[in-house]
């Protein structure tokens, strides 16, 4: 009796691809699907009923595709989704996409092939087209921290532009005029939206930031350290900086403390996310509170409702951020 491995060998694909074709659990290129189906016909392959039932047993599994789990932001996201899973009696399966397109795709494929039909997806690198394909085959899939107009009713997102404006305006209102933007070196939506918010706030004060004001580095502690060295070495008299997230701000603080730079007197900082460590830095970090746990809970609830064929109650899936003022911004009278 032919096996799935025999089909995969004849079609020139992996057994996972054959499984996706058989169980219709994910989008497969039409040409590839045709090769698999042709191989099944030639081998007279018959699906095992028990195995098929097992593959489709997914009513109690909620999948989460997230970013780097070492980042406290994504730990908060996972906690919010887990809370909803427990409330509804679902088991939670988590994969990390690591902000890499190939990892995000393989992670999403893994969740689907494990039988997850309820999935919350945080994907920064997969294209809109790819995500729409996955969504077409997975009615219980919801995106968090991502907005795609063609599936807006299945997206939960943050108003990043307005949040970045709020952060930058806080620095401007405190007299700062030479403000760096420490941003991600990945071409993700958050980066573009926050950069535009930063530029929009400066424009209200008649300021157009030169290209050297925008420093693109990895959005982790090491990236923050790298940004701090650039702040010190590029000769621009910055008095403030707005960072892509709080861990980057922590990296900046470490290097500046080592160099004897007084904070916030010499350089004021505003972060983004409001992770737990922000309040324990020295000085305590003024930051943008990202309601990621609330958003994650809403995404989880929405995914379960869609999976069950329920009509979600009318509500906004777009969230606003809030400025949390602590001690890392010092007024500058002379700009």
């Amino acid at each position: 009796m032919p096996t799935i491995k025999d089909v995969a060998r004849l079609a020139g694909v992996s057994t996972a691809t054959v499984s996706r074709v058989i169980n219709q659990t994910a989008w497969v290129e039409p040409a590839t699907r045709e090769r698999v189906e042709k191989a099944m016909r030639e081998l007279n392959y018959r699906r095992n009923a028990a195995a098929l039932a097992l593959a489709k047993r997914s009513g109690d599994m909620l999948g989460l595709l997230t970013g780097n789990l070492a980042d406290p932001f994504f730990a908060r996201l996972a906690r919010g989704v887990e809370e909803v899973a427990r409330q509804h009696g679902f088991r939670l399966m988590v994969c990390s996409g690591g902000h890499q397109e190939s990892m995000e795709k393989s992670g999403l494929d893994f969740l689907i092939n494990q039988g997850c039909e309820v999935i919350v997806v945080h994907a920064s690198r997969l294209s809109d087209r790819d995500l729409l394909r996955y969504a077409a085959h997975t009615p219980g899939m919801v995106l968090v921290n991502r907005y795609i107009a063609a599936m807006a009713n299945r997206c939960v997102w943050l108003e990043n532009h307005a949040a970045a404006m709020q952060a930058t305006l806080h620095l401007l209102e405190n007299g700062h005029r030479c403000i760096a933007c420490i941003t991600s070196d990945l071409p993700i939506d958050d980066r573009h939206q926050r950069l535009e918010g930063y530029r929009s706030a400066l424009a209200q004060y008649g300021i157009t930031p030169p290209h050297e004001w925008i420093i693109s580095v990895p959005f982790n502690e090491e990236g923050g350290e790298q940004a701090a060295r650039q702040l010190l070495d590029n000769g621009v008299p910055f008095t403030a900086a707005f960072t892509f997230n709080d861990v980057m701000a922590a990296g900046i603080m470490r290097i500046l403390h080592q160099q004897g730079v007084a904070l916030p007197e010499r350089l004021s900082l505003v972060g983004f996310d409001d992770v737990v460590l922000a309040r324990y830095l020295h000085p305590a970090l003024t930051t943008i509170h990202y309601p990621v746990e609330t958003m994650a809970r809403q995404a989880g609830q929405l995914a379960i409702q869609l999976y069950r064929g329920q009509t979600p109650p009318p509500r906004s899936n777009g969230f606003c951020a809030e400025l949390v003022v602590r001690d890392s911004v010092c007024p500058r009278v002379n700009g």
Side-chain angles (χ1 to χ4, degrees):
M1 179 179 295
T3 67
I4 193 171
K5 289 183 179 179
D6 297 325
V7 175
R9 188 179 303 111
L10 182 58
V13 298
S14 67
T15 55
T17 298
V18 176
S19 176
R20 286 195 288 271
V21 172
I22 292 172
N23 299 309
Q24 299 181 7
T25 52
W27 188 88
V28 177
E29 291 282 355
T32 304
R33 179 180 293 276
E34 185 177 340
R35 290 206 316 274
V36 172
E37 291 174 345
K38 181 181 178 182
M40 290 169 62
R41 289 193 299 270
E42 290 182 7
L43 293 170
N44 197 27
Y45 175 80
R46 293 289 182 268
R47 290 172 287 181
N48 181 282
L52 181 60
L54 180 63
K56 288 188 173 292
R57 190 184 65 193
S58 56
D60 64 348
M61 186 75 74
L62 192 159
L64 171 63
L65 177 68
T66 186
N68 179 8
L69 286 171
D71 187 321
F73 172 85
F74 292 107
R76 289 172 57 205
L77 189 154
R79 187 164 58 195
V81 174
E82 181 186 31
E83 183 179 318
V84 171
R86 288 180 181 275
Q87 288 173 352
H88 290 270
F90 282 76
R91 293 173 295 160
L92 182 65
M93 180 174 289
V94 182
C95 283
S96 174
H99 305 293
Q100 297 180 36
E101 181 180 358
S102 60
M103 287 183 62
E104 289 179 351
K105 185 177 188 304
S106 63
L108 195 46
D109 287 342
F110 174 79
L111 292 173
I112 291 171
N113 289 332
Q114 290 301 307
C116 296
E117 293 187 75
V118 181
I119 306 178
V120 175
V121 176
H122 184 289
S124 61
R125 303 305 304 278
L126 277 174
S127 68
D128 289 1
R129 182 182 178 188
D130 283 336
L131 289 169
L132 286 168
R133 286 172 176 170
Y134 279 110
H137 292 272
T138 313
M141 174 179 141
V142 170
L143 303 183
V144 64
N145 194 33
R146 181 82 175 258
Y147 177 83
I148 299 176
M151 55 179 293
N153 64 322
R154 294 164 67 179
C155 298
V156 179
W157 69 94
L158 184 76
E159 298 291 352
N160 276 292
H161 184 280
M165 276 193 70
Q166 189 177 17
T168 310
L169 285 171
H170 180 66
L171 292 168
L172 290 161
E173 290 162 0
N174 275 274
H176 297 276
R177 297 295 180 266
C178 190
I179 303 170
C181 181
I182 314 301
T183 189
S184 164
D185 60 355
L186 296 178
I188 57 179
D189 289 347
D190 290 0
R191 179 186 193 274
H192 301 311
Q193 294 161 4
R194 293 178 196 178
L195 266 177
E196 287 308 304
Y198 161 79
R199 290 189 176 107
S200 296
L202 291 175
Q204 290 188 19
Y205 281 71
I207 301 169
T208 301
H211 67 88
E212 61 266 23
W213 286 23
I214 298 169
I215 298 174
S216 300
V217 290
F219 55 96
N220 53 30
E221 296 90 334
E222 291 79 10
E225 293 179 349
Q226 181 181 333
R229 295 185 182 97
Q230 292 187 43
L231 286 169
L232 294 172
D233 294 342
N234 66 10
V236 179
F238 294 115
T239 64
F242 163 52
T243 69
F244 186 81
N245 61 26
D246 295 340
V247 295
M248 294 171 81
I252 290 172
M253 285 184 173
R254 177 177 180 273
I255 296 301
L256 296 185
H257 283 313
Q258 287 180 349
Q259 298 297 317
V261 177
L263 301 173
E265 294 81 9
R266 170 61 182 80
L267 187 81
S268 291
L269 285 173
V270 176
F272 205 107
D273 288 345
D274 193 26
V275 298
V276 172
L277 71 83
R279 72 195 68 171
Y280 297 108
L281 294 172
H282 178 68
L285 185 65
T286 292
T287 187
I288 293 292
H289 177 72
Y290 193 132
V292 63
E293 287 182 56
T294 302
M295 292 170 60
R297 286 193 291 269
Q298 184 153 318
Q301 295 277 8
L302 178 59
I304 291 170
Q305 289 168 341
L306 292 171
Y307 164 70
R308 291 174 173 170
Q310 301 170 354
T311 301
R315 59 187 175 188
S316 173
N317 288 330
F319 283 74
C320 295
E322 179 184 353
L323 180 70
V324 179
V325 178
R326 296 195 179 100
D327 305 325
S328 63
V329 175
C330 181
R332 186 173 181 85
V333 176
N334 297 322

